[in-house]
């Protein structure tokens, strides 16, 4: 399939994205507080970071990976944490926060192949399996080098004509993709080139990314669009425990770990 961009981002699109992304930090924090402790440990085991009953992260940012999977990919009674939160919390219809939560309900985990950058806005991608085309708004990602051989595994959130990243995106080398595809096929998640279960696909993909050290090669973005690159001068791979209860939470909320992502593991 040839690549032909159908969307051109405007300055107002970028400003809207920054506004919603900033709101998302607080909304994500509130949703994280609803994650049951047992879900945190079950997901930690599923993505390979639970060792002898302790959650162990490759980098300080991996709590964001864990919490994203907890929110979307481990349903209880058939409903994810995001779905349960939307059913039990009323947000003002028409507000940006209401719009954002409704978009979260339609979020999808994808393995994306980069096609072109729009500097200062985002990246044009195609889906690795369906070849669906997406413009993903992420200012920090748009400032990173584009390598067509490295795919991007990420949750993406629909915002009309474009999408934005959610959670923590993980780069996938050709080797990592091949490993993930074999695992997805073996588990019946990938059949004839079609993904049959995106929740299971997310867990398998994240585990593969972490095992192939993708976490050490991630460029993150704050709501203002400034990129923070983990690839420059990173130390050799090491396992570290979750942050201390009084340490700043690595999700970037500005709160102490015990008051943010850590609350889901200590209840």
């Amino acid at each position: 399939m040839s690549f032909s961009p159908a969307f051109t981002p405007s300055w107002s699109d970028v400003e809207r994205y920054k506004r919603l992304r900033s709101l998302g930090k607080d909304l994500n924090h509130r949703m994280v507080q609803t994650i049951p402790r047992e879900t945190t440990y079950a997901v930690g085991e599923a993505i390979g970071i639970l060792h002898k009953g302790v959650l162990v992260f490759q980098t300080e940012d991996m709590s964001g990976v864990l919490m994203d999977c907890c929110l979307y990919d481990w349903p209880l009674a058939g409903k994810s944490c995001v779905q349960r939160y939307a059913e039990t919390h009323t947000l003002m219809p028409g507000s940006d926060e209401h719009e954002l939560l409704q978009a979260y309900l339609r979020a999808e985990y994808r393995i994306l192949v980069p096609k072109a950058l729009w500097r200062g806005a985002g990246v044009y991608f195609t889906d690795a399996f369906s070849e669906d085309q997406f413009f993903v708004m992420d200012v920090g990602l748009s400032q990173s080098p584009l390598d067509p051989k490295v795919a991007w595994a990420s949750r993406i959130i629909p915002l009309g004509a474009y999408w934005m990243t959610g959670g923590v995106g993980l780069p996938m080398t050709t080797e990592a993709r091949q490993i993930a595809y074999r695992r997805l096929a073996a588990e019946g998640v990938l059949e004839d080139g079609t993904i049959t279960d995106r929740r299971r696909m997310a867990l398998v993909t994240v585990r593969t990314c972490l095992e192939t050290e993708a976490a050490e090669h991630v460029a993150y973005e704050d709501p203002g669009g400034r990129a923070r690159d983990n690839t420059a001068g990173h130390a050799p791979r090491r396992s570290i425990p979750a942050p201390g209860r009084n340490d700043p939470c690595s999700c970037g909320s500005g709160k102490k770990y015990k008051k943010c992502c850590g609350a889901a593991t200590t209840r």
Side-chain angles (χ1 to χ4, degrees):
M1 180 183 290
S2 62
F3 176 71
S4 54
F7 170 76
T8 300
S10 66
W11 178 251
S12 62
D13 290 324
V14 175
E15 289 303 302
R16 172 177 176 253
Y17 155 76
K18 289 181 180 179
R19 184 176 70 252
L20 292 176
R21 191 174 182 97
S22 182
L23 281 174
K25 290 181 65 176
D26 183 60
L27 179 57
N28 287 343
H29 167 69
R30 298 202 306 270
M31 291 194 300
V32 161
Q33 306 310 303
T34 70
I35 298 174
R37 182 182 182 186
E38 58 269 24
T39 293
T40 306
Y41 283 91
V43 172
E45 183 174 17
I47 64 175
I49 65 171
L50 184 69
H51 303 284
K52 297 181 179 180
V54 177
L55 293 168
V56 180
F57 303 143
Q58 291 178 332
T59 74
E60 289 84 349
D61 297 287
M62 285 305 93
S63 62
V65 174
L66 173 64
M67 291 304 139
D68 179 67
C69 291
C70 288
L71 286 174
Y72 289 94
D73 302 319
W74 201 265
L76 297 176
K79 295 181 180 180
S80 70
C81 286
V82 174
Q83 290 170 323
R84 297 198 307 274
Y85 185 91
E87 290 180 353
T88 56
H89 293 75
T90 301
L91 301 177
M92 183 179 298
S95 66
D96 284 345
E97 199 170 43
H98 180 269
E99 176 189 5
L100 189 59
L101 181 56
Q102 295 305 305
Y104 282 0
L105 292 171
R106 303 190 303 277
E108 299 179 1
Y109 201 88
R110 298 265 183 169
I111 297 177
L112 300 166
V113 180
K115 293 298 181 181
L117 290 176
W118 190 279
R119 193 73 64 178
V123 182
Y124 293 99
F125 288 102
T126 58
D127 181 87
F129 302 109
S130 67
E131 296 192 348
D132 292 338
Q133 298 181 3
F134 302 90
F135 181 79
V136 178
M137 194 79 75
D138 188 306
V139 176
L141 193 58
S142 78
Q143 298 168 346
S144 304
L146 180 66
D147 185 345
K149 295 180 181 179
V150 178
W152 191 252
S154 179
R155 195 152 337 257
I156 55 174
I157 300 164
L159 295 175
Y162 60 90
W163 300 63
M164 77 172 183
T165 51
V168 177
L170 297 168
M172 298 187 74
T173 62
T174 300
E175 178 187 8
R177 288 169 65 182
Q178 291 173 347
I179 294 171
Y181 296 172
R182 288 196 296 269
R183 290 177 174 178
L184 291 170
E187 295 194 19
V189 180
L190 177 61
E191 296 181 357
D192 298 323
T194 300
I195 296 297
T196 61
D197 186 333
R198 290 206 174 271
R199 286 171 171 165
R200 287 175 61 200
M201 176 258 205
L203 296 173
V204 171
T205 301
V206 167
R207 184 178 188 122
T208 302
C209 287
L210 298 185
E211 289 176 353
T212 55
E213 302 184 17
E216 296 184 359
H217 302 275
V218 181
Y220 300 93
E221 177 201 4
D222 65 22
R226 292 177 293 276
R228 174 167 60 84
D229 192 352
N230 257 7
T231 64
H234 68 272
R237 182 183 183 275
R238 62 193 179 95
S239 292
I240 59 175
R245 286 174 50 77
N246 291 311
D247 291 340
C249 190
S250 57
C251 75
S253 67
K255 303 176 185 293
K256 290 183 178 181
Y257 180 71
K258 67 182 180 182
K259 297 288 188 179
C260 193
C261 295
T265 66
T266 57
R267 283 199 303 273

